[in-house]
Amino acid sequence: MNRCILENLKRIMILLRSDIRNRRGRELVHLFRQAFQSQMSNGELCGEMMEMMPEWCSWLSCGETPARDEVWVQKELAAFISQALEVMEETLHADEFEMAYDLADMLHVVPDVIVKNDKMSMKSYWKRFVVPFHKKWNCNIFHKFY
């Protein structure tokens, strides 16, 4: 996984969380989902994002990571991130801003967990972010990932 994409996940989720009612939020999440699923490069992602949100320019990590510096992401964790982004896109489309905020809050921490790459960090992440999300929203949509 491109390290810059992961860094942008963190930054974009923080920016979206700070302005969760932004009318372009759904489009921004959709763009990021495409980049995360390798349908566009990080540079293309940044270009598109900067057109939509020029004020974000200084926040984005717009470089490309050399192959030797790529970060390995477990298949299950990548599937979790993809599903969380999909749910976030749907909640923004339905104007369910509180749930979208909680998803952004949950996702902005994932890159740090990936970089640490240890079981304790992952366990702590699920306990502190995913389980409370499930309890608050009375759902289990991410249960299959832990």
Side-chain angles (χ1 to χ4, degrees), residues 98-110:
E98 188 178 351
M99 183 183 261
Y101 179 93
D102 290 346
L103 287 161
D105 191 48
M106 186 174 72
L107 284 169
H108 91 279
V109 180
V110 173

Side-chain angles (χ1 to χ4, degrees), residues 82-116:
S82 290
Q83 184 171 2
L85 289 166
E86 182 179 342
V87 172
M88 186 174 183
E89 193 176 338
E90 291 168 3
T91 58
L92 287 168
H93 182 67
D95 293 338
E96 295 173 1
F97 298 115
E98 188 178 351
M99 183 183 261
Y101 179 93
D102 290 346
L103 287 161
D105 191 48
M106 186 174 72
L107 284 169
H108 91 279
V109 180
V110 173
D112 293 333
V113 173
I114 291 170
V115 170
K116 285 184 181 178

Side-chain angles (χ1 to χ4, degrees), residues 9 13 16 25-37 39 77-96 99-100 103-104 106-107 133 141-142 144-145:
L9 172 61
M13 291 301 119
L16 282 172
R26 182 172 163 249
E27 296 171 76
L28 295 164
V29 173
H30 180 76
L31 275 174
F32 185 80
R33 241 177 89 207
Q34 287 182 306
F36 185 77
Q37 296 170 343
Q39 295 173 1
L77 187 54
F80 162 75
I81 295 167
S82 290
Q83 184 171 2
L85 289 166
E86 182 179 342
V87 172
M88 186 174 183
E89 193 176 338
E90 291 168 3
T91 58
L92 287 168
H93 182 67
D95 293 338
E96 295 173 1
M99 183 183 261
L103 287 161
M106 186 174 72
L107 284 169
F133 178 87
I141 56 179
F142 305 119
K144 65 184 173 190
F145 298 110

Side-chain angles (χ1 to χ4, degrees), residues 12 26-27 31 40-41 43 52 55 58 70 72 86 96 112 114 131 133-136 143-144:
I12 290 166
R26 182 172 163 249
E27 296 171 76
L31 275 174
M40 69 170 50
S41 71
M52 292 170 60
E55 62 274 18
S58 64
E70 298 244 334
W72 182 75
E86 182 179 342
E96 295 173 1
D112 293 333
I114 291 170
V131 171
F133 178 87
H134 279 172
K135 285 181 181 176
K136 178 177 181 178
H143 184 73
K144 65 184 173 190

